[in-house]
Amino acid sequence: MLRAGRLAHQRSGVRYLEGIPPEQRPFVDIDQTFVDLTGRRFRPDVVNHLTGEVVEFKPQSWKGVSRLEREARRQAASYAARLNALYGDWRRLEGLPEYWWRVEYYR
């Protein structure tokens, strides 16, 4: 089951890259580990540093289950907040938007 989830995440990451303009692709991290200001590691599924988009992939079976949807939203929001804490000042200076998040469900 874990292996199937990893493969689905990889496919979703590839689809994400295929769906954005080629000039954005160098600014996208897929499955990249970050370390927040407290020293804790976190690993968003996709981070587009140019647009600020943070995408968390979850299985379709989570959709419609309020507890799991809340957990997915909490996780994605946490990743965006931690990235904003790390890079927010720099992004504002560069005129880039804050990190924002969304959850995408895969089959």
Side-chain angles (χ1 to χ4, degrees), residues 16 18 20 23 29 34 37 39 61 63 87 92-93 105:
Y16 180 88
E18 290 171 345
I20 63 173
E23 60 271 10
D29 284 325
F34 296 88
L37 296 174
S61 61
K63 193 169 185 152
Y87 304 117
R92 280 187 289 285
L93 285 172
Y105 297 93

Side-chain angles (χ1 to χ4, degrees), residues 7-83:
L7 289 173
H9 274 74
Q10 288 172 347
R11 282 192 308 270
S12 297
V14 168
R15 275 197 309 275
Y16 180 88
L17 285 174
E18 290 171 345
I20 63 173
E23 60 271 10
Q24 285 184 17
R25 293 176 189 159
F27 302 100
V28 174
D29 284 325
I30 296 177
D31 257 352
Q32 175 69 39
T33 300
F34 296 88
V35 179
D36 69 16
L37 296 174
T38 66
R40 289 179 30 221
R41 294 174 181 259
F42 63 105
R43 191 175 185 145
D45 292 326
V46 172
V47 178
N48 185 329
H49 296 284
L50 194 61
T51 66
E53 181 178 36
V54 177
V55 183
E56 183 60 24
F57 299 125
K58 294 298 180 195
Q60 187 70 31
S61 61
W62 283 43
K63 193 169 185 152
V65 180
S66 59
R67 179 182 61 80
L68 295 176
E69 284 185 344
R70 270 193 315 277
E71 174 59 24
R73 289 190 305 267
R74 184 208 58 78
Q75 184 179 18
S78 168
Y79 292 159
R82 292 157 91 180
L83 287 164

